[in-house]
Amino acid sequence: MERTVDAVVEAVAEAAPDIRGGLIGRRSYRDSANASGERQLAADVYADQLLEERLGGIDGVGEYASEERQEIVDVGEGLSVAVDPLDGSSNLKSNNAMGTILAVYDDDLPAAGETLVAAAFVLYGPITSMTVAREGVVTEYELVDGEMQLTEDAVELPADPVVYGFGGRVPDWPDDFESYARDVERELKLRYGGAMIADVNQALEYGGVFAYPALESAPNGKLRLQFEGNPIGYIVECAGGASSDGSQSLLEVEPTGDIHQRVPLHVGNESLIERLEASLD
Ligand code: P6P
C-alpha cells in the first residue's frame, strides 16, 4: 500500500506543472456542467482528464472519482482516489489562486473519511506548493518542475488563531452560525479568496478557521464530502487542528452513497471548532 500511496502522491506532483501550464487558453466556460450542476471551465475538464490518465494507470489503484464527473471509474484493484482537479476554478478568470485536492481511501467509494490513508493538496499560488498528510503527519513541499522539494516536515496549526474565512452569503447563514461568525469577526482578520485550498492554507499557516457552513438555502452546504470535506478535514486534523460538519469530525460523517454528497465544512484550531459546535443549535 505504501508504494501505491507514494506513486499516487508523486503522480499528482508531476501533473501539477502540466495542470498549471494548461490553464492558459482554458479560461472559458464550456456548455457542460459538472455533477453538482456547476458550470465547467475548459481547465476543469482538462485537469480531470489528465489526472485520470496519470492516476488511473497506477498499479494498486482500483477506483478514480472526480468532482468533475458523474460516475466513479473502475481502473483496476486496490485503493480509491478521489480528486477535485481544480478547486476554486472560478478564480481562473480573475487570475487568483486555485488548487488540486487528492484523497486516497482504503475502501470503495464513496468512503468514510476514517478510511483515508493519505490526503494532499496542490496550491497554485505565487509558488506551486503541495501539502501532504500521511500517518498523522503533514509535510509541505515546493514543486519545481513536478519535483517535490521539502519545505516543512511537520506542519502544525499555530496555537494562536489569526485569520478566518467564511463562505456563502451572510443573509443565507442560519442565525446560529451568524452569531458565531460575528464573534469571530471581532477577534480575527478576514481572509477569504474563493478557493478553499488557498483559504485553508491561510489558516494552516497563521492559525484560524475556514468554513463553508450549512446555509438556509442549502442545509448541507456547498462543498463535497469525498473530494473536499474528508481530505481537508484529514489534513487539518493531522496538523493538530479540528474539523466538523457542525456536530462531529468530518471524518466521522457517514457516506450516503452519493459520490457528490455535500457537507457543511468547518476546519481550524480546535478551540474555534469547539466554539462553533457549541454555537450551533
Ligand atoms: P463561493 C470553489 O468553487 C469552491 O468549491 C471552494 O473552493 C470555495 O471555498 C467555494 O466553492 C467558494 O464558493 O460561494 O464563495 O463562490
Side-chain angles (χ1 to χ4, degrees):
M1 179 191 297
E2 283 307 300
R3 272 205 310 274
T4 301
V5 174
D6 290 343
V8 168
V9 169
E10 285 158 19
V12 172
E14 286 160 14
D18 299 320
I19 291 173
R20 187 169 193 137
L23 297 176
I24 292 178
R26 292 188 170 91
R27 300 172 73 181
S28 56
Y29 282 110
R30 297 162 53 101
D31 296 339
S32 57
N34 67 15
S36 300
E38 296 162 343
R39 295 180 71 195
Q40 285 183 310
L41 285 166
D44 287 314
V45 176
Y46 164 73
D48 175 39
Q49 289 169 345
L50 191 149
L51 287 170
E52 189 210 350
E53 258 168 55
R54 304 283 180 89
L55 300 178
I58 294 174
D59 188 26
V61 172
E63 292 182 334
Y64 172 88
S66 154
E67 192 176 285
E68 297 308 326
R69 58 180 77 198
Q70 187 70 41
E71 303 299 334
I72 298 163
V73 183
D74 183 342
V75 294
E77 293 297 321
L79 299 174
S80 299
V81 296
V83 297
D84 182 357
L86 213 45
D87 170 67
S89 57
S90 57
N91 276 355
L92 181 52
K93 294 179 89 62
S94 57
N95 194 28
N96 293 106
M98 288 167 287
T100 293
I101 308 173
L102 166 71
V104 187
Y105 298 92
D106 187 12
D107 199 355
D108 292 341
L109 295 173
E114 289 163 338
T115 67
L116 280 166
V117 292
F121 62 78
V122 174
L123 176 54
Y124 306 103
I127 290 164
T128 305
S129 62
M130 187 171 193
T131 300
V132 182
R134 290 175 70 171
E135 294 164 357
V137 177
V138 180
T139 310
E140 187 193 70
Y141 305 86
E142 284 178 357
L143 298 186
V144 179
D145 300 331
E147 284 294 311
M148 298 167 70
Q149 297 186 359
L150 179 68
T151 46
E152 191 169 348
D153 61 3
V155 175
E156 291 275 339
L157 232 70
D160 299 325
V162 173
V163 300
Y164 76 94
F166 298 147
R169 290 185 174 80
V170 175
D172 207 6
W173 289 345
D175 291 346
D176 52 8
F177 181 80
E178 180 169 0
S179 160
Y180 167 78
R182 293 297 175 233
D183 288 344
V184 170
E185 284 170 344
R186 279 193 288 273
E187 300 163 22
L188 305 181
K189 294 195 291 189
L190 173 60
R191 290 290 182 275
Y192 189 84
M196 174 180 60
I197 289 304
D199 297 332
V200 166
N201 207 44
Q202 291 261 13
L204 275 176
E205 182 66 35
Y206 300 110
V209 56
F210 170 85
Y212 205 106
L215 303 175
E216 297 290 2
S217 64
N220 291 320
K222 172 182 183 182
L223 303 181
R224 278 71 26 157
L225 179 65
Q226 297 296 317
F227 310 107
E228 295 161 311
N230 279 335
I232 296 307
Y234 182 80
I235 291 168
V236 173
E237 290 189 17
C238 289
S243 78
S244 179
D245 69 346
S247 62
Q248 62 187 325
S249 163
L250 290 166
L251 306 184
E252 293 168 356
V253 174
E254 275 300 308
T256 59
D258 173 5
I259 188 73
H260 297 285
Q261 170 184 357
R262 296 179 194 267
V263 67
L265 185 152
H266 319 79
V267 292
N269 286 78
E270 204 157 2
S271 57
L272 288 165
I273 298 301
E274 285 168 355
R275 278 171 58 184
L276 166 94
E277 292 186 339
S279 309
L280 300 189
D281 298 334

